[in-house]
C-alpha cells in the first residue's frame, strides 16, 4: 500500500533555532499534502495545505511566516518551524491523498509523525 | 465550525469483550466520516471510511455506523484483542470537494484491552 514517510521522527532543539521536517510520499505522487499538529491530550489540528508548485494555504491562527511550507516536488513537502519556542513543541503529522477526488472518496495516508521538543 | 466529540476518552476492557466507541459531530452536512487508529508516538492508520450516503461499513472485526441526521457514528469492535489497544480517532472533512481531505478530528478514545 501507499506509504508516507517523515523525517526526522523526533528532534530536540534550542529555543530560537529553526527545524525542518520532511514529508515524503514514497510510491505515489502527491500534488497536495496536509500538515497537522497534535498537542498532548488534544486532537489533531490541521495547520496548512501544501500545494505542489504554489503557495501553501494556512488555517486561521497559524502563522505562515513561522511555519514555512515548501512543496518543491510531487513527492516532497517540507515544514520549517522558524525561531522555534517551547510552545511549538508538539507532534507534527503530514498526510497525502492518492487522488484528489471530489467528495474525498479516496483515502489519504498519514506519515508516522515528528515529535518536536523545543528547550 | 465543525466540532467532533468522542466518548469515552478512555476505555479498559478484558480480552474477548465486544465494545463500542462513540463519535458525535455538530454539523451534520458531512461528506464522509473516517475512523483511524493511532499507536503511541506514531501516525494514523485509516480503519474505515463511511460515505454520507452509507449507513455502515465493515472490515473484519470492525463495524462503523453513521447516522448523519443525529450527528453520530459508532465504531463496534468485536472480540477485542490486546493488539487492539490504541487510540481511536474519528474525523470528518471540513468541507466537500477537494476540501474533503482536510479533516477535523476528535480527541480520540484510548482503548486498553487487558489480556
Amino acid at each position: 500500500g501507499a506509504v508516507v514517510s517523515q523525517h526526522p521522527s523526533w528532534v530536540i532543539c534550542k529555543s530560537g533555532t529553526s527545524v525542518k521536517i520532511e514529508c515524503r510520499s514514497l510510491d505515489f505522487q502527491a500534488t497536495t499534502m496536509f500538515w497537522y499538529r497534535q498537542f498532548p491530550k488534544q486532537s489533531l489540528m490541521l495547520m496548512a495545505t501544501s500545494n505542489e508548485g504554489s503557495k501553501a494555504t494556512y488555517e486561521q491562527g497559524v502563522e505562515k511566516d513561522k511555519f514555512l511550507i515548501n512543496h518543491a516536488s510531487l513527492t516532497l513537502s517540507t515544514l520549517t518551524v522558524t525561531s522555534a519556542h517551547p510552545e511549538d513543541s508538539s507532534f507534527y503529522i503530514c498526510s497525502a491523498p492518492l487522488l484528489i477526488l471530489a467528495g474525498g472518496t479516496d483515502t489519504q495516508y498519514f506519515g508516522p509523525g515528528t515529535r518536536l521538543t523545543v528547550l | 465550525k465543525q466540532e467532533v466529540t468522542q466518548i469515552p476518552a478512555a476505555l479498559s476492557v478484558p480480552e474477548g469483550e465486544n465494545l463500542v466507541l462513540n463519535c458525535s459531530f455538530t454539523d451534520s452536512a458531512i461528506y464522509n466520516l473516517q475512523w483511524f487508529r493511532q499507536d503511541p508516538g506514531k501516525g494514523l492508520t485509516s480503519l474505515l471510511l463511511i460515505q454520507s450516503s452509507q449507513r455502515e461499513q465493515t472490515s473484519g472485526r470492525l463495524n462503523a455506523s453513521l447516522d448523519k441526521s443525529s450527528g453520530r457514528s459508532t465504531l463496534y469492535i468485536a472480540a477485542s484483542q490486546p493488539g487492539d489497544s490504541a487510540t481511536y480517532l474519528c474525523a470528518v472533512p471540513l468541507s466537500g470537494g477537494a476540501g474533503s481531505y482536510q479533516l477535523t478530528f476528535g480527541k480520540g478514545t484510548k482503548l486498553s484491552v487487558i489480556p
Side-chain angles (χ1 to χ4, degrees):
Chain A
V3 177
V4 173
S5 70
Q6 281 186 242
H7 177 80
S9 55
W10 59 270
V11 57
I12 301 173
C13 69
K14 293 182 179 180
S15 183
T17 60
S18 293
V19 175
K20 179 184 285 187
I21 302 170
E22 295 184 346
C23 176
R24 292 181 185 273
S25 55
L26 297 184
D27 51 3
F28 66 101
Q29 295 181 334
T31 57
T32 302
M33 293 183 176
F34 303 97
W35 287 96
Y36 294 82
R37 64 181 168 185
Q38 184 179 34
F39 294 108
K41 298 186 178 181
Q42 298 298 312
S43 58
L44 277 161
M45 296 292 292
L46 179 68
M47 295 177 65
T49 301
S50 174
N51 304 296
E52 189 270 335
S54 64
K55 292 183 178 180
T57 55
Y58 292 81
E59 295 302 303
Q60 190 173 10
V62 178
E63 301 175 55
K64 62 179 182 179
D65 294 330
K66 181 171 183 61
F67 298 98
L68 301 179
I69 292 174
N70 183 21
H71 197 144
S73 77
L74 288 171
T75 59
L76 175 64
S77 173
T78 60
L79 169 68
T80 301
V81 184
T82 62
S83 186
H85 291 284
E87 58 266 29
D88 298 321
S89 298
S90 186
F91 192 56
Y92 293 84
I93 302 179
C94 68
S95 71
L98 274 175
L99 298 170
I100 299 293
L101 298 173
T105 54
D106 193 39
T107 192
Q108 57 181 305
Y109 297 91
F110 284 78
T114 297
R115 174 74 62 189
L116 171 63
T117 301
V118 185
L119 303 176
Chain B
K1 178 185 176 183
Q2 180 73 271
E3 293 184 4
V4 179
T5 303
Q6 291 186 247
I7 296 173
L11 181 64
S12 183
V13 300
E15 181 177 1
E17 193 163 296
N18 302 326
L19 57 100
V20 175
L21 307 180
N22 297 291
C23 171
S24 61
F25 43 94
T26 54
D27 186 348
S28 62
I30 60 170
Y31 230 96
N32 57 49
L33 182 143
Q34 287 191 67
W35 283 94
F36 293 87
R37 169 184 173 141
Q38 183 177 28
D39 293 282
K42 297 185 179 180
L44 278 63
T45 301
S46 179
L47 298 173
L48 291 164
L49 184 153
I50 311 176
Q51 297 297 339
S52 60
S53 58
Q54 298 174 320
R55 298 282 292 182
E56 65 178 75
Q57 278 283 354
T58 298
S59 176
R61 293 183 293 109
L62 306 179
N63 176 277
S65 67
L66 174 63
D67 184 343
K68 266 188 61 175
S69 61
S70 66
R72 295 183 180 183
S73 175
T74 62
L75 178 66
Y76 175 83
I77 302 178
S80 58
Q81 302 171 359
D84 295 330
S85 298
T87 296
Y88 290 81
L89 303 174
C90 168
V92 296
L94 290 175
S95 64
S100 297
Y101 293 99
Q102 296 162 317
L103 303 178
T104 297
F105 285 86
K107 291 185 179 181
T109 295
K110 185 176 182 180
L111 173 65
S112 298
V113 181
I114 311 302

